[in-house]
Amino acid sequence: MESRFTSFVGGPTGPWKVVSIRAISGDGLPSAGHLDLREGLNEAEDAVWQLRGVTSNLRYTQETERKALAAVQPPLSRPEARCAALIPIRKTAAWWLLAQDERRAIIEEQSRHIAIGMAYLPAVARKLFHARDLGEPFDFLTWFEFAPDHAAGFDALLAALRASPEWDYVDREVEIRLERV
Ligand code: HEM
């Protein structure tokens, strides 16, 4: 069975060349030449940094949204998707004190995260990893792949989400932009 655990290893090797590492909020990450995605949580000896995540069940997505997403979302590893972004995110203590229904209201009714994101499908392929319960420095590792032609659209998506009320609860965010070697 494919492991649900993934390590994102910044270091000297890997199929993704690091184009830039930018601290959006809070502390950044040291520079690294390449990124490798490795199955499992084992410590990578060649790592400049290693971020660990696990895939999980949906928390906030409603049935109609889940079906709408499933109908348009593309798979990872499309040959034309030569650009990628790894965006580790941590949310504030105040966020984690909220109840599930309050967090859903902020994510969708107030911020339109899913509705905004949906407009960028199928150009952008994505995968969400949870890291908070692994005791990691970030709560989420978000991963995106797209063709170079859609890089400007991806920037617009980032700007829209970062301007939303949900992002008031983000206290650390690093944007790592990548190109397939
Ligand atoms: C969660 C959709 C882009 C960051 C989610 C969820 C959906 C979603 C449906 C909820 C998952 C659940 O029910 O648990 C999309 C779509 C996007 C997109 C369709 C279009 C490409 C982004 C981007 C970022 C991002 C660009 C980062 C800059 C997150 C984070 C979560 C999340 C951190 C977890 C939120 C939490 O559990 O508190 N997204 N998203 N998403 N997304 Fe997006």
Side-chain angles (χ1 to χ4, degrees):
M1 196 179 96
E2 195 180 309
S3 172
R4 289 172 54 218
F5 296 94
T6 298
S7 287
F8 292 82
V9 180
T13 60
W16 295 98
K17 185 166 80 72
V18 175
V19 176
S20 61
I21 301 183
R22 198 156 70 94
I24 307 298
S25 309
D27 290 342
L29 285 168
S31 59
H34 290 77
L35 180 78
D36 200 11
L37 277 64
R38 299 183 193 164
E39 209 174 271
L41 303 177
N42 292 346
E43 191 155 334
E45 285 179 4
D46 54 342
V48 176
W49 42 259
Q50 178 170 2
L51 301 172
R52 298 170 175 88
V54 58
T55 53
S56 187
N57 54 279
L58 296 173
R59 265 71 164 165
Y60 307 108
T61 311
Q62 295 179 346
E63 186 194 8
T64 46
E65 294 161 343
R66 180 177 59 77
K67 287 182 174 159
L69 286 164
V72 285
Q73 62 195 8
L76 297 178
S77 303
R78 292 167 296 170
E80 70 273 23
R82 304 196 55 80
C83 300
L86 170 64
I87 307 184
I89 287 177
R90 187 181 69 197
K91 286 185 168 175
T92 60
W95 173 262
W96 294 108
L97 285 173
L98 295 172
Q100 180 86 5
D101 56 342
E102 295 175 297
R103 294 196 299 261
R104 156 73 198 187
I106 293 165
I107 286 179
E108 196 55 23
E109 281 69 32
Q110 296 177 31
S111 302
R112 316 299 301 159
H113 182 132
I114 300 170
I116 291 170
M118 187 89 79
Y120 294 86
L121 271 45
V124 180
R126 76 194 164 92
K127 191 162 179 178
L128 174 65
F129 297 84
H130 290 257
R132 176 177 163 81
D133 291 345
L134 299 178
E136 284 283 297
F138 294 94
D139 295 332
F140 308 99
L141 305 176
T142 65
W143 176 257
F144 307 94
E145 295 177 2
F146 44 91
D149 282 356
H150 293 120
F154 186 71
D155 288 339
L157 166 62
L158 291 178
L161 290 177
R162 287 176 184 153
S164 73
E166 183 188 351
W167 253 252
D168 293 345
Y169 295 91
V170 172
D171 69 0
R172 190 174 177 199
E173 178 176 10
V174 183
E175 182 180 321
I176 302 158
R177 301 291 283 253
L178 307 143
E179 275 171 16
R180 213 189 283 273
V181 173

